[in-house]
């Protein structure tokens, strides 16, 4: 019986089940990446060597694996393929995604890539190249053996997994929706997924080409990036960041859709500036293709090029600010301050802080000073690690209600949000301060003068640990089958009695759950008018 259940999961083509598998794997991979960050902070929390016994290569391997895990194996599959498989078919009113077997293949490519990634850390000396895999550090002269080769193959597997999910969701959004349903009356999440799919289709082949050339340089004698033989390592940086900067929007655009989804649902199905939000996402995706070199101000770009990329980077703030102000108006339309609204407010706080520091780094002259400091690390963690994670938690909260029919305890979720905001702010605001003072990144020790900010950053990890434990407890308690059956029995025997259990949860009635699933039950929709005519 157990083997049949396992086989049904392994070979499934059901989008809802595949979405749950994606979410489960992404959460597991994210927890493993979080553990690596704790080891790094334990190394940094005091003077001299702490837990790695002076092994600086191991520290670099941890930072490399942590970055790739969080980007390619936690956030991307979670907000794109995981929640996309669960929410997009429901919101578009279709029974299944267009290519269900390809959907299943993408799931297990992700697992294969994870095993290769973690395995590369145990082979030879590990891949300590940072997540960007820059040559000449990633060439055989610096990293011999097969660790970097295994690392590159794991990137290929993750890219193929992302590509299968992106094509599937994009084609479903474009061709499989109900013909009598107006796309502007659907949720913004399918819009964000379709735009993100187009971005992925454009950028994944660029990364694949860049790392394949690196692989051939290491193994077959080509000299694409070998300076001695006439190669150009800066060409790799251009190719990587043509992928790497749109990758930021690949991660954050589905989160934008999830936040809009929550506000749409909680704001009496009346999202402010729907058309403007769609155009803003399209503008962010288009402009995101043309600003990659703001990651490369220190490689010796000429002044005109730096001025262009600084100006184009500042231009992205315009559509992003349109979305932020629209969300703030949407917050005013929410009838109740639900737990989802608290997550939205936390997302806005984190994303705004990260965006403001991004405007600082958009100035090429400032970036030349700040580039290799912890200020940059704090900036992209605020946008990606915090903004994206709060958006992912918001989406998981919505899907939890759909899948189990029960809401988690409102008070417990609010305590968890406050603790998570507090802990992450202690971590990354301290990084901003130490980066402003000049503390370099990728160094496993800090001078004595930085001890205060470094220790405060590490202490925030403990608060984050408590917040994550509270979230897991709330989700687990809401998902327990015995607990759900007890509540159902209590309601059937005492229909007028409120539930006074510790969690204070309650089930969703049929009307609320129907609104959650259809999401756009508005009287002006074409679907409603057609039913009335019938």
């Amino acid at each position: 019986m157990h083997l049949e259940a396992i086989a049904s999961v392994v070979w499934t083509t059901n989008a809802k089940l595949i979405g749950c598998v994606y979410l489960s794997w992404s959460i597991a991979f994210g927890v493993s990446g979080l553990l690596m960050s704790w080891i790094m902070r334990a190394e940094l929390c005091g003077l001299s060597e702490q837990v790695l016994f002076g092994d600086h290569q191991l520290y670099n391997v941890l930072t490399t694996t942590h970055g790739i895990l969080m980007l390619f194996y936690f956030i991307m599959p979670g907000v794109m393929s995981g929640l996309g498989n669960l929410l997009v078919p429901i919101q578009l009113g279709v029974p299944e995604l267009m290519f269900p077997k390809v959907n299943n293949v993408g799931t297990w490519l992700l697992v294969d890539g994870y095993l290769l990634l973690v395995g590369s850390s145990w082979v030879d000396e590990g891949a300590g190249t940072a997540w960007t895999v820059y040559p000449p550090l990633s060439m055989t002269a610096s990293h011999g053996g097969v660790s970097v080769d295994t690392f590159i193959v794991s990137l290929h597997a993750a890219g193929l997994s992302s590509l299968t999910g992106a094509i599937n969701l994009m084609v479903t959004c474009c061709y499989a929706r109900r013909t009598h349903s107006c796309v502007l009356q659907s949720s913004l999440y399918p819009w964000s997924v379709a735009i993100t799919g187009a971005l992925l289709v454009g950028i994944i082949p660029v990364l694949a080409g860049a790392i394949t050339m690196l692989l051939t340089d290491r193994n077959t004698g080509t000299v694409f990036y070998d300076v001695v033989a006439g190669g150009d390592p800066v060409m790799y940086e251009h190719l990587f960041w043509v992928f790497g900067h749109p990758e930021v929007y690949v991660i954050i655009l589905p989160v934008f859709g999830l936040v809009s989804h929550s506000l749409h649902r909680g704001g009496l199905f009346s999202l402010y500036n729907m058309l403007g939000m769609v155009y803003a996402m399209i503008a962010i995706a288009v402009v995101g293709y043309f600003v990659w070199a703001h990651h490369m101000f220190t490689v010796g770009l000429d002044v005109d090029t730096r001025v262009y990329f600084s100006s184009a980077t500042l231009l992205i703030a315009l559509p992003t600010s349109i979305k932020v102000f629209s969300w703030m108006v949407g917050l005013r339309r929410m009838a109740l301050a639900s737990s989802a609204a608290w997550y939205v407010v936390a997302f806005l706080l984190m994303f705004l802080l990260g965006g403001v520091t991004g405007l600082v780094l958009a100035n090429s002259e400032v970036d030349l000073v700040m580039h290799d400091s912890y200020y940059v690390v704090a900036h992209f963690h605020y946008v990606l690690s915090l903004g994206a994670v709060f958006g992912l938690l918001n989406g998981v909260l919505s899907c939890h209600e759909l899948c189990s029919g029960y809401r988690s305890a409102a008070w417990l979720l609010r305590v968890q949000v406050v603790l998570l905001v507090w802990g992450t702010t202690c971590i990354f605001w301290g990084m901003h301060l130490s980066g402003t003072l000049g503390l370099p990144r990728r160094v496993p020790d800090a001078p004595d003068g930085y001890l205060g900010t470094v220790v405060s950053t590490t202490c925030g990890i403990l608060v984050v640990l408590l917040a994550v434990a509270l979230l897991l407890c709330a989700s687990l308690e809401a998902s327990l089958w015995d607990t759900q059956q007890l509540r159902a029995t209590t309601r059937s025997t005492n229909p007028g009695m409120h539930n006074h259990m510790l969690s204070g949860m309650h089930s969703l009635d049929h009307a609320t759950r129907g609104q959650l699933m259809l999401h756009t039950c508005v009287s002006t929709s074409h679907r409603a008018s057609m039913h009335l005519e019938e």
Side-chain angles (χ1 to χ4, degrees), residues 385-404:
S385 173
L386 304 184
V389 165
F390 278 108
L392 175 62
L393 292 178
N394 198 347
V396 169
L397 185 64
S398 301
C399 285
H400 192 281
E401 297 172 1
L402 286 175
C403 296
S404 68

Side-chain angles (χ1 to χ4, degrees), residues 89-328:
I90 292 172
Q91 292 175 353
L92 294 181
V94 297
E96 194 58 73
L97 296 186
M98 291 291 284
F99 310 116
K101 292 184 179 179
V102 175
N103 203 13
N104 177 274
V105 170
T107 309
W108 304 112
L109 277 172
L110 190 72
V111 179
D112 294 338
Y114 174 79
L115 295 176
L116 287 170
L117 177 66
V118 175
S120 71
S121 304
W122 295 88
V123 177
D124 297 322
E125 59 182 3
T129 60
W131 77 282
T132 51
V133 207
Y134 280 168
L137 184 59
S138 56
M139 302 293 278
T140 52
S142 301
H143 277 81
V146 297
S147 58
V148 175
D149 301 327
T150 310
F151 184 82
I152 292 172
V153 175
S154 75
L155 289 181
H156 274 299
L160 274 175
S161 174
S162 301
L163 207 55
T164 57
I167 294 174
N168 215 339
L169 289 166
M170 183 175 60
V171 172
T172 302
C173 291
C174 293
Y175 295 106
R177 62 180 178 81
R178 298 299 185 191
T179 55
H180 56 265
S181 176
C182 178
V183 289
L184 285 179
Q185 291 165 344
S186 66
S187 168
L188 277 178
Y189 183 62
W191 276 99
S192 66
V193 165
I195 295 168
T196 305
L199 269 174
L200 275 169
V201 170
I203 64 175
I204 290 290
V206 179
L207 175 69
I211 60 178
T212 301
M213 287 192 286
L214 180 59
L215 197 61
T216 58
D217 274 10
R218 290 178 54 87
N219 295 282
T220 63
T222 57
V223 291
F224 293 111
Y225 308 128
D226 188 354
V227 178
V228 177
D232 186 8
V234 177
M235 179 180 70
Y236 175 86
E237 295 192 30
H238 280 288
L239 291 174
F240 180 85
W241 287 114
V242 166
F243 156 82
H245 190 75
E247 168 70 10
V248 174
Y249 301 111
V250 164
I251 291 171
I252 207 67
L253 279 175
V255 172
F256 287 170
L258 290 169
V259 172
S260 302
H261 168 79
S262 293
L263 291 175
H264 194 173
R265 194 185 73 196
L268 304 176
F269 299 98
S270 174
L271 186 64
Y272 178 73
N273 194 17
M274 182 79 173
L275 188 61
M277 298 280 264
V278 173
Y279 280 125
M281 284 193 291
I282 295 173
I284 289 171
V286 171
V287 178
Y289 271 113
F290 303 105
V291 295
W292 73 90
H294 69 213
H295 297 272
M296 301 168 50
F297 284 144
T298 57
V299 302
L301 300 176
D302 60 88
V303 175
D304 293 338
T305 305
R306 282 162 44 193
V307 168
Y308 161 73
F309 282 106
S310 294
S311 304
T313 305
L314 293 171
L315 185 63
I316 292 188
L318 180 60
T320 308
S321 61
I322 290 173
K323 297 191 71 65
V324 170
F325 286 118
S326 299
W327 286 327
M328 292 174 70

Side-chain angles (χ1 to χ4, degrees), residues 407-411 477 487 499-506:
R407 289 176 176 163
S408 300
W411 67 270
E477 209 275 339
R487 290 179 188 137
N499 193 353
H500 293 292
M501 297 183 68
L502 174 64
S503 63
M505 299 181 208
H506 60 279

Side-chain angles (χ1 to χ4, degrees), residues 316-521:
I316 292 188
L318 180 60
T320 308
S321 61
I322 290 173
K323 297 191 71 65
V324 170
F325 286 118
S326 299
W327 286 327
M328 292 174 70
V329 175
L331 277 172
R332 294 197 61 186
R333 294 187 175 188
M334 296 194 76
L336 296 173
S338 61
S339 302
W342 283 56
Y343 279 100
V344 170
V345 172
F347 161 80
L348 286 174
L349 286 173
M350 299 296 103
F351 184 72
L352 282 173
L353 283 171
V356 169
T357 55
L359 292 176
V360 173
L361 292 172
N363 188 319
S364 60
E365 301 301 325
V366 176
D367 185 76
L368 288 174
V369 179
M370 297 284 195
H371 185 72
D372 270 325
S373 71
Y374 266 99
Y375 191 91
V376 178
V377 178
H379 157 66
F380 67 71
H381 275 85
Y382 258 113
V383 176
L384 296 182
S385 173
L386 304 184
V389 165
F390 278 108
L392 175 62
L393 292 178
N394 198 347
V396 169
L397 185 64
S398 301
C399 285
H400 192 281
E401 297 172 1
L402 286 175
C403 296
S404 68
Y406 287 88
R407 289 176 176 163
S408 300
W411 67 270
L412 193 57
L413 289 175
R414 293 174 186 184
V415 170
Q416 189 268 336
V417 169
V418 172
L419 283 176
L420 195 57
V421 170
W422 180 25
T424 51
T425 303
C426 287
I427 296 171
F428 297 113
W429 193 251
M431 281 189 184
H432 274 118
L433 296 177
S434 57
T436 306
L437 295 172
L439 180 64
R441 56 178 172 166
R442 297 175 186 158
V443 177
D445 195 11
D448 298 356
Y450 296 101
L451 185 61
T453 55
V454 170
V455 169
S456 69
T457 298
T458 304
C459 290
I461 289 280
L462 302 176
V463 183
V464 171
L465 173 62
L466 179 59
V468 171
L470 280 177
L471 180 65
L472 292 176
C473 289
S475 177
L476 180 63
E477 209 275 339
S479 305
L480 291 177
W481 176 254
D482 294 338
T483 305
Q484 294 182 13
Q485 295 306 301
L486 176 62
R487 290 179 188 137
T489 306
T490 304
R491 282 194 307 276
S492 61
T493 55
N494 300 298
M497 181 179 177
H498 293 288
N499 193 353
H500 293 292
M501 297 183 68
L502 174 64
S503 63
M505 299 181 208
H506 60 279
S507 66
L508 306 180
D509 57 19
H510 292 292
T512 306
R513 200 167 184 190
Q515 287 180 349
L516 280 171
M517 296 186 73
L518 292 177
H519 181 70
T520 51
C521 302

Side-chain angles (χ1 to χ4, degrees), residues 185 268-269 520-532:
Q185 291 165 344
L268 304 176
F269 299 98
T520 51
C521 302
V522 290
S523 59
T524 57
S525 69
H526 292 293
R527 187 183 298 121
S529 63
M530 287 185 66
H531 285 309
L532 288 175

